[in-house]
Structure formats: structure tokens, C-alpha cells
């Protein structure tokens, strides 16, 4: 689903070393480390691995040659036409080892923080336009009251922060995922960014789904390389989903003391996309403390991260944050924190009418014929025992239970008052046996 008529503006491909925005020394050292670690000899290979134009790779090689760190092998490779091969001199190897001792990072040239900030502005989550039709289509598998879409649409379109609350089992997580699907377009995610000479890796294949087809032949590579800065990967807008496992440490830079490099925290990886904090209130940290960590980013569109040296620096914060909780907001937040969350949306259980719609939809999908006696028994006998409180998860649970019973008994998939009773018994735990 493509949400926008106009695609996000691509980061322009640097044509020279100067246009990359990186220091000459950093680029030269990454070149030497990459050639040393990957045994590269040819400029096109160096360009591909270092994610730069061939002209930039050649300029780098020429620089290293002028400093006697590289030398031509004097052989033309049969597989590469007239491309000249290059190898590290003894001085080049010594410099590569020295550079590796300072940082193990090699491969793709990082994107300087200022350039990254410019690209985020070009593809901001706050620039998206989300129509009712798109949101309805993304939520198509859910039966939702129209008033809920009235609230969700403006909340998501603002690209700010949303708190969804209400009783468990009513699809807050499914709605969060539907919002993610509604975004639909693509952005450019840097493989790594650079700040103050430090490299922070950002692209994470677990979080980012690349939209790039695998590039095999050199002509396609050249064609694609001219389109945008290949230090970035074209990806679907990212989604990070965390639950009870979320800790404050996960929102800090991760430093690898062996490689001497940093990994971006979760919220930086979710830039341009959605960060879902599911099951708020189930984390080891109090919810108030977690939300306090987000207050500055949510209000000022910037986050503060800290290097090993203690130096603090700003990174853009361009993320739609969705908090989802089974607790009432007043019981887990103070008024100041609640005021800073832009939209609060209550997700209630379905009405009896919507419950029946969901039940019929699930039954049809799972090929279980509806049975009038079973439905009357469910609504008139079973639900009054729990004060007629319906939840969105219950139709799937009950029908899956009946299917499992039918398969065990060796009978065709069906529903009956007796099967409803057996399925119901598994949905709730009898607490009369709890010792006080």
C-alpha cells in the first residue's frame, strides 16, 4: 500500500570525498581497515563495500597511494576488464592495525550527524498524510467502532504520541500493528552515523525491512548507486515493539568495548517510524519513570545520548510513540506526564452486536458453521455469569477450543451448547479454589 503520491526525497549521492561530510583521516582509515579485513583489491569492490561512488573510492585510493599506504599490484584482473588492483604496503598494514586497535569498525562509510538530520527532515513521520480509507484498510481484519477510527486517524497523522488504554484482550496490540501497516511508504535508513569521530551503527535487519532487491551485476549496481547515497538502505518505515522487557538501559547507546563501536538505541532505530511500548506497567521500571525518559524527546523532537567519555549530544527524535496499557492512566501516571502524551484513546471491549460480528467472522474464517442454539446458550447462559463483559479475544479463543475438542472427539468441526460449555471452562480459571 503506497500512502503518499510523492516518494520521500532520497539523500543525494556524494560525488567527491568532500561531499561525504567525513574527515579525510576517518575515510582513509576505514578504507585501509576494510581492504585489510576483506582482502579487497579492486576499486569497484571497494566502492560497493564502503557504500560510496566509484569516483569517491578512486579518490580515496589515490590519497592512500600518495601517502604510500597503498600500491598498485601491477596486474590487470581478467574478471574486471581493465581495473587495476591495489594492495596495502607494509606502512598501510601497520596503519590498518593501528586504526583497528582504535575501532574495529570497517565497511560502509558512516553518515555525519548533520547530513542524517537533514535526511530525517525530508522523510519525517510528521509529514505523512493518513486518510480514513488507508487506516480502515490497514485495520480491515479488526471490527472497530467508527468513533475509534475518528480518534486514531488524527492521532497517527500528527506523528506525536498516543496512549491506548483499556481492559486486556481487546486488540490494543493489533491496533498498534494496524497503525504500522497503514504507514505504508518507505524511508532511507543509514547503515551507520558518525558523531565526533565515533561510529554508531543504526541499520538493524531485525528492525528494518529492506526494500532493496539484491543487486548482483555491476551495471545494475552502477544504475542504483547513482540514484541515492548508498550509505543508506531504502526500508519500510520501521516499527519497534517492546513489552515487559523494556528497561531504561535499552534507550541508551550500547558500547561494544571489544569493537570500540556504538549501536543505536531502540528509539533511534525507530526514527521515521513507530515505537510501540506494549503492556506499559509490566516493566521492571515504574511507568512514570519510563514516560519521564520520553518527555524531552516528545516535546522537543530531539533526544540526548551519551558517549563513553561522558559527552552528551543531540540526535533527532522523529518517531510516533504508542503506549499501550491495561491499567487506567490515572493509576500509573501523574497529571504532568499525562499532559505530555498528546492523544489518549480508550479501547473498550466490543458491544454485544460487535461481539457477534467478530464471532461470525472468525467462525467463517475457520470454517465452523454457526449454530443458533449454541449462540443463544453463549449469550443467555454463559455471558451473564461474567456480567456480559465482552472482549475481542474471546471469539477466537472459544472457536479454537471447539475445533480442538472436535478433533479430539473425531467429529466434524461444529458448535453446540455442550461444546460452548467445554470451551468456556478453558477460558477462565475457577478462583474458588484459591486459598486465602
Amino acid at each position: 500500500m503506497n500512502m503518499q503520491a510523492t516518494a520521500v526525497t532520497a539523500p543525494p549521492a556524494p560525488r567527491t570525498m568532500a561531499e561525504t561530510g567525513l574527515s579525510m583521516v576517518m575515510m582513509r582509515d576505514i578504507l585501509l581497515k576494510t581492504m585489510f579485513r576483506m582482502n579487497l583489491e579492486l576499486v569497484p569492490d571497494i566502492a560497493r563495500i564502503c557504500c560510496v561512488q566509484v569516483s569517491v573510492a578512486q579518490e580515496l585510493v589515490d590519497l592512500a597511494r600518495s601517502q604510500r599506504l597503498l600500491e598498485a599490484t601491477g596486474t590487470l584482473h581478467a574478471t574486471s576488464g581493465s581495473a587495476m588492483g591495489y594492495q596495502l604496503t607494509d606502512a598501510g598494514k601497520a596503519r590498518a592495525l593501528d586504526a583497528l586497535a582504535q575501532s574495529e569498525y570497517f565497511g560502509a562509510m558512516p553518515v555525519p550527524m548533520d547530513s542524517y538530520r537533514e535526511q530525517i527532515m525530508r522523510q519525517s513521520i510528521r509529514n505523512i498524510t493518513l486518510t480514513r480509507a488507508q487506516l480502515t484498510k490497514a485495520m480491515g481484519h479488526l471490527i472497530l467502532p467508527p468513533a475509534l477510527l475518528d480518534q486514531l486517524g488524527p492521532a497517527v497523522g500528527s506523528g506525536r504520541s498516543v496512549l491506548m488504554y483499556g481492559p486486556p484482550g481487546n486488540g490494543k496490540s493489533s491496533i498498534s500493528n494496524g497503525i504500522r501497516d497503514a504507514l505504508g511508504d518507505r524511508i532511507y535508513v543509514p547503515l551507520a552515523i558518525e558523531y565526533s569521530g565515533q561510529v554508531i551503527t543504526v541499520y538493524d535487519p531485525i528492525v528494518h525491512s529492506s526494500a532493496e532487491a539484491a543487486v548482483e551485476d555491476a551495471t545494475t549496481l552502477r544504475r542504483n548507486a547513482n540514484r541515492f547515497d548508498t550509505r543508506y538502505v531504502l526500508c519500510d518505515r520501521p516499527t519497534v515493539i517492546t513489552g515487559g522487557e523494556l528497561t531504561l538501559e535499552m534507550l541508551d547507546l550500547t558500547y561494544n568495548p571489544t569493537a570500540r563501536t556504538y549501536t543505536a538505541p531502540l528509539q533511534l532505530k525507530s526514527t521515521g517510524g513507530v515505537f510501540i511500548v506494549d503492556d506499559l506497567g509490566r516493566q521492571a521500571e515504574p511507568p512514570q519513570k519510563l514516560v519521564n525518559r520520553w518527555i524531552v524527546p516528545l516535546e522537543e523532537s530531539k533526544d540526548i545520548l551519551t558517549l563513553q567519555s561522558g559527552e552528551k549530544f543531540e540526535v533527532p527524535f522523529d518517531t510516533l510513540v504508542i503506549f499501550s496499557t491495561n491499567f487506567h492512566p490515572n493509576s500509573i501516571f501523574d497529571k504532568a506526564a499525562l499532559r505530555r502524551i498528546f492523544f489518549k484513546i480508550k479501547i473498550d471491549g466490543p458491544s454485544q452486536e460487535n461481539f457477534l460480528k467478530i464471532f461470525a467472522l472468525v467462525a467463517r474464517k475457520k470454517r465452523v458453521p454457526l449454530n443458533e442454539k449454541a449462540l443463544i446458550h453463549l449469550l443467555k447462559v454463559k455471558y451473564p455469569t461474567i456480567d456480559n463483559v465482552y472482549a475481542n479475544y474471546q471469539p477466537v479463543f472459544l472457536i479454537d477450543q471447539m475445533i480442538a475438542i472436535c478433533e479430539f472427539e473425531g467429529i466434524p468441526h461444529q458448535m453446540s451448547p455442550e461444546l460452548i460449555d467445554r470451551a468456556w471452562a478453558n477460558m477462565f480459571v475457577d478462583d474458588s479454589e484459591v486459598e486465602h
Side-chain angles (χ1 to χ4, degrees):
M1 187 196 331
N2 204 345
M3 201 176 66
Q4 293 170 303
T6 55
V8 161
T9 305
R15 303 281 170 195
T16 63
M17 281 176 63
E19 285 180 15
T20 64
L22 296 169
S23 78
M24 183 190 76
V25 172
M26 177 178 238
M27 292 188 77
R28 182 204 65 195
D29 285 354
I30 289 175
L31 166 79
L32 297 175
K33 289 188 284 185
T34 306
M35 290 181 73
F36 182 79
R37 281 278 185 246
M38 301 191 69
N39 201 23
L40 300 178
E41 292 186 0
L42 303 175
V43 171
D45 292 341
I46 291 165
R48 180 171 50 84
I49 300 295
C50 291
C51 299
V52 293
Q53 299 275 295
V54 170
S55 58
V56 176
Q58 187 64 59
E59 195 182 343
L60 258 175
V61 165
D62 291 344
L63 169 75
R65 280 185 81 190
S66 72
Q67 296 178 354
R68 296 189 167 81
L69 301 170
L70 285 186
E71 61 189 4
T73 57
T75 54
L76 296 177
H77 287 251
T79 54
S80 59
S82 59
M84 175 66 75
Y86 298 93
Q87 64 187 16
L88 298 175
T89 62
D90 288 343
K93 285 177 190 162
R95 179 61 214 152
L97 288 167
D98 193 34
L100 284 163
Q102 291 171 42
S103 164
E104 274 281 344
Y105 184 84
F106 64 91
M109 294 291 167
V111 175
M113 185 64 73
D114 287 344
S115 305
Y116 176 52
R117 201 172 272 116
E118 287 168 16
Q119 184 57 30
I120 285 173
M121 288 173 72
R122 293 185 194 111
Q123 59 193 31
S124 173
I125 186 83
R126 297 189 187 182
N127 294 343
I128 64 168
T129 50
L130 187 63
T131 64
R132 182 181 290 274
Q134 285 155 342
L135 196 54
T136 305
K137 187 175 178 186
M139 303 284 182
H141 60 300
L142 302 172
I143 306 274
L144 300 174
L148 181 57
L149 285 180
D150 293 347
Q151 289 179 288
L152 276 176
V156 176
S158 76
R160 304 300 281 269
S161 53
V162 182
L163 171 66
M164 293 193 291
Y165 66 99
N170 284 310
K172 289 187 292 295
S173 302
S174 301
I175 290 167
S176 300
N177 291 331
I179 289 170
R180 173 197 65 195
D181 296 342
L183 295 179
D185 63 339
R186 289 167 176 167
I187 62 170
Y188 294 88
V189 176
L191 291 157
I193 54 179
E194 175 269 337
Y195 173 79
S196 193
Q198 302 297 318
V199 177
I200 302 161
T201 58
V202 178
Y203 176 77
D204 178 347
I206 295 168
V207 171
H208 302 112
S209 55
S210 167
E212 292 277 81
V215 176
E216 295 299 335
D217 66 290
T219 54
T220 313
L221 176 66
R222 275 197 298 276
R223 208 163 50 239
N224 284 346
N226 290 330
R227 289 203 332 264
F228 66 89
D229 186 344
T230 51
R231 293 178 294 173
Y232 290 84
V233 181
L234 183 61
C235 297
D236 298 328
R237 285 193 182 267
T239 304
V240 170
I241 304 176
T242 64
E245 77 285 358
L246 180 65
T247 63
L248 284 171
E249 287 74 44
M250 290 181 190
L251 306 177
D252 294 331
L253 283 172
T254 306
Y255 182 67
N256 181 329
T258 312
R260 293 182 177 81
T261 55
Y262 293 89
T263 304
L266 293 174
Q267 75 277 18
L268 192 54
K269 290 179 181 178
S270 70
T271 298
V274 184
F275 191 112
I276 298 169
V277 183
D278 213 354
D279 277 337
L280 189 64
R282 304 277 179 215
Q283 292 79 7
E285 315 274 1
Q288 179 75 44
K289 207 170 174 185
L290 277 172
V291 170
N292 284 349
R293 169 65 181 80
W294 296 89
I295 283 173
V296 170
L298 289 173
E299 288 197 336
E300 300 184 20
S301 302
K302 64 183 184 188
D303 197 6
I304 311 291
L305 298 178
T306 311
L307 296 172
Q308 278 292 103
S309 62
E311 183 185 351
K312 294 184 183 300
F313 64 103
E314 283 180 13
V315 291
F317 186 86
D318 186 70
T319 305
L320 170 66
V321 183
I322 300 175
F323 300 102
S324 168
T325 183
N326 299 333
F327 297 99
H328 193 281
N330 292 339
S331 69
I332 55 175
F333 297 127
D334 64 22
K335 286 192 173 67
L338 268 178
R339 197 170 60 243
R340 287 175 165 96
I341 298 173
F342 281 74
F343 296 88
K344 294 95 173 165
I345 300 175
K346 189 162 194 272
I347 311 287
D348 269 323
S351 62
Q352 187 184 82
E353 182 191 355
N354 276 345
F355 171 84
L356 282 171
K357 279 186 191 170
I358 297 166
F359 196 91
L361 198 73
V362 174
R364 188 164 69 245
K365 200 171 170 184
K366 294 182 179 277
R367 295 192 171 87
V368 178
L370 288 173
N371 176 285
E372 195 178 348
K373 280 184 181 174
L375 284 172
I376 291 169
H377 180 70
L378 182 62
L379 299 180
K380 302 288 185 198
V381 178
K382 304 314 284 186
Y383 270 98
T385 65
I386 58 163
D387 300 325
N388 294 311
V389 175
Y390 300 96
N392 283 314
Y393 80 92
Q394 292 163 350
V396 175
F397 186 94
L398 290 167
I399 289 166
D400 280 349
Q401 287 282 337
M402 287 189 278
I403 288 170
I405 295 164
C406 291
E407 288 182 352
F408 175 71
E409 301 292 0
I411 58 175
H413 292 178
Q414 58 191 273
M415 59 179 73
S416 67
E418 296 75 25
L419 287 168
I420 290 280
D421 283 340
R422 287 174 72 177
W424 186 272
N426 283 331
M427 196 157 70
F428 299 103
V429 176
D430 182 0
D431 56 11
S432 62
E433 297 171 21
V434 176
E435 292 180 16
H436 295 288

